Amino acid sequence: MNFEEKKIKRKLSNSKLPNKSVDSLKKDKTHFVGQLVHNLKNPIGSALSFSDMILEDLESYSPDKLKRHINIIKSSCEAALNQLDILLIESKIDIKELDLNLQETLFSELIIKCVADNDKNLVKNNFTVEKHFFDNDVKIKLDRSLIKHTLHGLIQFLLLHSGNNTTLKITLKRENNLLLLSLESNKCSNCDEKIEDFNFEKSDKNNIIFNVNQEKFLNFKTISFIAQKHKGFLTLTKNESNFLVITFAISTNL
């Protein structure tokens, strides 16, 4: 073997990933696939089940029953697509390749739609929702898909951690070049004492404290990253009444 061949062989050898790195990548891939299968199993299974019911008894289906079951199939398919979206977002963030698809949008409209989409669960948990928006809201550039998933993740966190008969105050205001969305909950039984300790850089600790590693919704670390991509921020604090306040801010100048 001449000098050049030895040099090439040495470069190839140095370029190989250590066994530990390979094992880690395999573990991450296995976890990703396992989470994907777990999250998709219920909605896809539900859609298949109701599809079979319709096909087996199609002639005797009344229009109302058919419409009801088709809506269940539709909701199940939407839930499956939602899971694919979330896993894709998180995988792009992991490799720091998340790009924004900016569209001119009224931020307040997305908030109102998110609350409406979660209305059944909010009512089921006896939430009283108060909305306070500033006048003359104008369209800004934002990534509609990312903000939609962010809002659902924040509402889901409050549904998981707040008790029954919670009062949820949703406030949207403008400060200079930022739009600030505040979600104030008078109850957060599993997290109130730990708010001061929250640090998004210590995700493992926070997942234990807040149980924010939500399999079907974006977690705080991901939401914080999305806020930063929109030149904003995410904070958790307690106000003078000892209520939990989540603030999600985005820039009006993207």
Side-chain angles (χ1 to χ4, degrees):
M1 184 182 296
N2 60 34
F3 175 77
E4 285 300 321
E5 289 174 334
K6 288 181 180 179
K7 188 176 178 181
I8 293 171
K9 184 177 181 180
R10 186 164 58 250
K11 283 185 177 179
L12 289 172
S13 177
N14 291 337
S15 67
K16 291 181 179 178
L17 287 170
N19 288 334
K20 286 185 178 180
S21 296
V22 173
D23 290 341
S24 178
L25 288 172
K26 288 180 179 178
K27 186 177 179 179
D28 289 344
K29 180 181 178 182
T30 301
H31 174 74
F32 178 85
V33 173
Q35 184 177 344
L36 177 62
V37 171
H38 173 76
N39 290 350
L40 293 180
K41 189 174 290 185
N42 283 340
I44 291 177
S46 177
L48 286 173
S49 176
F50 278 92
S51 298
D52 288 338
M53 288 170 60
I54 292 171
L55 291 172
E56 288 173 3
D57 204 19
L58 186 60
E59 293 182 0
S60 63
Y61 259 68
S62 67
D64 287 343
K65 185 178 179 181
L66 182 61
K67 182 179 179 180
R68 186 167 66 252
H69 286 189
I70 288 175
N71 278 329
I72 292 172
I73 293 170
K74 180 176 181 290
S75 297
S76 297
C77 292
E78 288 173 345
L81 288 173
N82 183 67
Q83 293 309 296
L84 289 172
D85 279 347
I86 287 172
L87 287 171
L88 182 60
I89 290 168
E90 291 179 342
S91 64
K92 286 183 176 180
I93 288 176
D94 285 341
I95 59 175
K96 295 184 171 53
E97 289 188 0
L98 182 69
D99 296 320
L100 299 182
N101 177 24
L102 297 176
Q103 298 171 282
E104 287 198 342
T105 306
L106 282 174
F107 190 23
S108 57
E109 283 187 358
L110 292 182
I111 298 168
I112 292 168
K113 187 176 187 311
C114 174
V115 174
D117 289 343
N118 287 279
D119 184 62
K120 286 184 180 179
N121 284 329
L122 291 167
V123 171
K124 180 181 177 182
N125 288 277
N126 297 318
F127 271 59
T128 299
V129 180
E130 301 175 0
K131 295 189 287 290
H132 305 275
F133 295 167
F134 70 96
D135 295 329
N136 302 319
D137 189 12
V138 295
K139 289 185 177 182
I140 64 168
K141 290 183 178 179
L142 53 77
D143 189 305
R144 292 178 60 89
S145 177
L146 293 179
I147 298 299
K148 179 195 75 172
H149 287 299
T150 290
L151 296 173
H152 282 286
L154 294 176
I155 293 290
Q156 178 65 16
F157 170 80
L158 293 170
L159 284 167
L160 283 172
H161 291 273
S162 299
N164 285 337
N165 304 313
T166 294
T167 298
L168 174 61
K169 184 187 292 185
I170 301 174
T171 304
L172 179 63
K173 61 183 179 179
R174 183 167 186 165
E175 289 187 2
N176 299 321
N177 66 331
L178 288 175
L179 288 183
L180 298 129
L181 168 65
S182 294
L183 304 171
E184 178 187 298
S185 169
N186 67 333
K187 292 184 179 180
C188 189
S189 56
N190 297 328
C191 61
D192 277 352
E193 296 80 9
K194 300 293 184 179
I195 294 300
E196 293 90 349
D197 300 329
F198 195 88
N199 183 330
F200 291 107
E201 299 304 317
K202 299 177 181 178
S203 60
D204 290 339
K205 180 181 178 183
N206 292 327
N207 286 344
I208 294 171
I209 292 174
F210 293 108
N211 189 29
V212 294
N213 190 18
Q214 303 173 114
E215 292 181 349
K216 297 182 180 181
F217 298 88
L218 296 181
N219 58 43
F220 280 160
K221 189 174 183 180
T222 300
I223 291 172
S224 178
F225 185 89
I226 290 171
Q228 291 171 39
K229 289 286 287 186
H230 285 82
K231 297 182 181 178
F233 58 84
L234 174 70
T235 62
L236 280 81
T237 58
K238 285 194 291 186
N239 63 17
E240 62 277 4
S241 300
N242 209 36
F243 293 169
L244 168 69
V245 181
I246 302 173
T247 302
F248 177 78
I250 58 175
S251 174
T252 60
N253 298 326
L254 284 181

